[in-house]
Amino acid sequence: DHEVVLYPHRKDEFGELAAAITRLSGDLERLKNERNEFLASVSHELRTPLTYLKGYTDILRREDLSKEDRRKYLTIIQEETIHLNGLIKNLFELAKIDQNEFAIKKEAVAFDDLISTVIARIEPAVDKKNIELTFSSSGELEAVVDPKRMQQVFLNILDNAIKYTPPAGRIGVSVTGSRNEIITAISDSGIGIDQADEPYVFERLYRAEKSRSRLQGGAGLGLTIAKEIVELHGGQISVQSTPGEGTVFTVSLERGDLYEECIAD
Ligand code: ADP
């Protein structure tokens, strides 16, 4: 007290320090809550497929099952196993991103080739749903990116476009380049995203209309990972949607950064 009276400026400093500590403890509390919520969601996401696995293996023990039913239940078990596997893989990737152990290995790539590789991978699923897919590009663009990781980004977005677009719908991929950036827009004529859900689709384990998306096999991690990868490249990802009409995801990669990387290499 004595000191405070003698050196009033110290009182200010002390006040600032106290305020900073209060802020920090607030941040810590928020982080703790977020972590707890995340763990609760993860547990739930892991438990759901396991419940199916247990339920259907129990049924399969019965001897009076027809061949047809047996096959049906085995298919469900297989799908749930694939879902669980994908979920664990995504969780592991996010953990690596959080720990800064997610290496981005950039190299110069032909951007059109990168997109074509992804399109080739999704073609069977596109054909199966009788979806019309178009790809347009403004020219041969070179980008300095981690090709595997960027493929993962576009695969996640396109997987969703297929999942949330009814049969015989349309998906379009367009790549445009300017001096400053490469912009990839992926549009679909699908169910769209409600205005209220739009700001949250990149958040961990977020699914619009939970039950519906779960039936589609998603756990709400694909877009989170896509966003993290794009941001690790110094780029941006955004979404614009009209419910009932369709959705457009846009990925912009700064070319300035890319060129600097080129020069640095
Ligand atoms: P999921 O694995 O559930 O698809 P994502 O993180 O990839 O998780 O997507 C989050 C949510 O955003 C999805 O559950 C879905 O509700 C919504 N979504 C993503 N892409 C689309 C799209 N193209 N059309 C409609 N809804 C979409």
Side-chain angles (χ1 to χ4, degrees), residues 107-134:
E107 58 183 89
V109 296
F111 207 71
D112 287 355
D113 289 352
L114 188 148
I115 301 275
S116 300
T117 307
V118 179
I119 289 179
R121 272 186 69 180
I122 58 155
E123 223 139 45
V126 168
D127 289 345
K128 202 168 157 197
K129 277 186 97 170
N130 196 20
I131 288 173
E132 185 196 336
L133 189 143
T134 51

Side-chain angles (χ1 to χ4, degrees), residues 110-179:
F111 207 71
D112 287 355
D113 289 352
L114 188 148
I115 301 275
S116 300
T117 307
V118 179
I119 289 179
R121 272 186 69 180
I122 58 155
E123 223 139 45
V126 168
D127 289 345
K128 202 168 157 197
K129 277 186 97 170
N130 196 20
I131 288 173
E132 185 196 336
L133 189 143
T134 51
F135 171 37
S136 71
S137 166
S138 69
E140 286 174 16
L141 300 163
E142 188 166 274
V144 181
V145 294
D146 183 324
K148 283 264 150 28
R149 297 305 189 194
M150 279 318 291
Q151 277 176 22
Q152 198 178 347
V153 168
F154 295 121
L155 194 61
N156 284 355
I157 297 173
L158 280 164
D159 265 344
N160 282 338
I162 299 168
K163 265 196 275 182
Y164 302 110
T165 299
R170 290 182 315 279
I171 295 176
V173 183
S174 91
V175 179
T176 48
S178 70
R179 240 182 81 85

Side-chain angles (χ1 to χ4, degrees), residues 31-97:
L31 274 176
K32 230 168 67 185
N33 287 341
E34 271 174 25
R35 194 196 56 180
N36 287 344
E37 272 172 35
F38 183 66
L39 276 177
S41 309
V42 166
S43 313
H44 176 77
E45 289 298 329
L46 291 173
R47 210 164 37 214
T48 309
L50 282 173
T51 307
Y52 282 108
L53 290 179
K54 172 151 194 336
Y56 285 109
T57 39
D58 282 348
I59 294 177
L60 276 172
R61 279 176 194 281
R62 290 198 337 227
E63 302 200 333
D64 57 340
L65 277 184
S66 69
K67 227 178 176 163
E68 208 172 284
D69 279 348
R70 194 172 292 277
R71 193 173 303 133
K72 193 171 82 193
Y73 298 138
L74 278 171
T75 305
I76 298 173
I77 288 176
Q78 192 179 34
E79 283 168 358
E80 289 298 331
T81 311
I82 292 169
H83 173 77
L84 198 52
N85 192 40
L87 179 61
I88 290 169
K89 190 170 149 252
N90 280 344
L91 282 170
F92 194 59
E93 301 247 87
L94 266 183
K96 277 196 294 188
I97 291 172

Side-chain angles (χ1 to χ4, degrees), residues 156-157 160-165 188 190-193 201-203 206-209 212-214 217-224 241 247 249:
N156 284 355
I157 297 173
N160 282 338
I162 299 168
K163 265 196 275 182
Y164 302 110
T165 299
D188 65 58
I191 56 172
I193 302 165
V201 292
F202 297 106
E203 285 187 7
Y206 191 84
R207 285 195 305 246
E209 284 182 44
R212 182 196 68 197
S213 300
R214 148 109 202 130
L221 287 174
L223 287 177
T224 311
S241 187
T247 305
F249 279 91

